[in-house]
Amino acid sequence: MKAVVFHGVGDIRLDDVREPKIKEPTDAIVRLTASAICGTDLHFVRGTMSGMKPGTILGHEGVGIVEELGKDVRNLRKGDRVVVASTIACGACSYCRAGYQSQCDKNPNGKQAGTAFFGGPIQSGPFDGLQAEFARVPFANVGLVKLPDGVSDDQAILLSDIFPTGYFGAEIAEITPGDTVAVFGCGPVGLFAIVSAQMLGADRVLAVDTIPSRLEMARALGAEVIDYNEEDPVETILRLTDGIGVDRAIDAVGVDANRPHAGPAKVHREDKKEAERMLEQVAPKTNEDGDNWHPGDAPSQALTWAVEALAKAGTLSIVGVYPPQMKWFPIGMAMMRNLTVNMGNCPHRRYIPKLLDHVASGVVDPTKILTNREPLVSVIDAYKAFDRRMPGWVKVELSPGAAPAKKAA
């Protein structure tokens, strides 16, 4: 079968690999009808998340058809159409039973490393991912959620990871009706954090980014947008909130944050040399290729801005991905202002059924975030465009069985 395979930092390829087989009685084989590219995948290619094993199939978002079932998968049938939860959970351990499926104890390295997910580094399994024609899904009785006929692949692929993650980010921000919320990063997760903050009753959402197409999508969702290369985001947030700051802030950026390269924030925000030292620790090995695979140049920028923008006794939610070697956080400032900090990897299986109901009933249409649909055979070009944040490339769906589009003569 065709699959997107990690060969090294800056080196991913569409390879021919063996189709997966059932290994455990709780496994299922799923024929993928949709997958997607996520910002987390870019961390591996850019070198800001280490520990990737060469030969690992990438991707942790998937929708497909059940082709084969292990004998202990008793809630599904062959032919069922399903969405795959990105994080892998057994459903039986104490963490899964408490709703912390992203901290499942039965996964390889689970008691030490925590989250296991498809297409991730050695410490998360590793498990082959979902940017392929077929996938083996462990604990399929838990990790696969059957889809109703009225929910399309385009809608369902956004329920595999980014909508649940955005909702999780808003929930752990402790948003209450009337709150003013700042979302740092208007990529797919940040956009769904905006939607989710509104679902939870936020009165105002301020969205910080610098990519015009992403800011426009945030504005279309009802957020008040701030371009950090045009104005100082913290000063602007304070001015718009009468000097108080926001009640809640969500970091939906993570380790690949960039510092301002223009505008008033360029002068007195994160020191360039300090950021370079951080980057050397966070991404000791990189493999840039022209305009591609460049790590963000200020790993703690989003964290710092979020802390500075919060009102006293506010809450910071962190769902942007940070690797274990990331050790910088403005803890003194946070402590002196009695901030609450909640963070973690989304327990997707907890949220998928609820959000699926919202989509099926028409309460939310997640496809507003979906900007590109590409065949799997064009995946490397799609990765490069997404990595460069090309205009309009916000969320990319991959179709394993689709042929490349014909170019006009």
Side-chain angles (χ1 to χ4, degrees), residues 131-191:
Q131 290 171 6
E133 294 180 291
F134 295 88
R136 180 177 75 92
V137 179
F139 309 119
N141 57 308
V142 175
L144 297 179
V145 179
K146 189 174 177 179
L147 292 167
D149 292 338
V151 174
S152 68
D153 279 11
D154 288 353
Q155 293 172 316
I157 193 61
L158 302 168
L159 292 166
S160 183
D161 176 20
I162 59 169
F163 192 0
T165 299
Y167 191 90
F168 173 66
E171 187 175 85
I172 65 173
E174 302 177 336
I175 294 170
T176 58
D179 279 349
T180 296
V181 180
V183 176
F184 290 85
C186 295
V189 170
L191 293 170

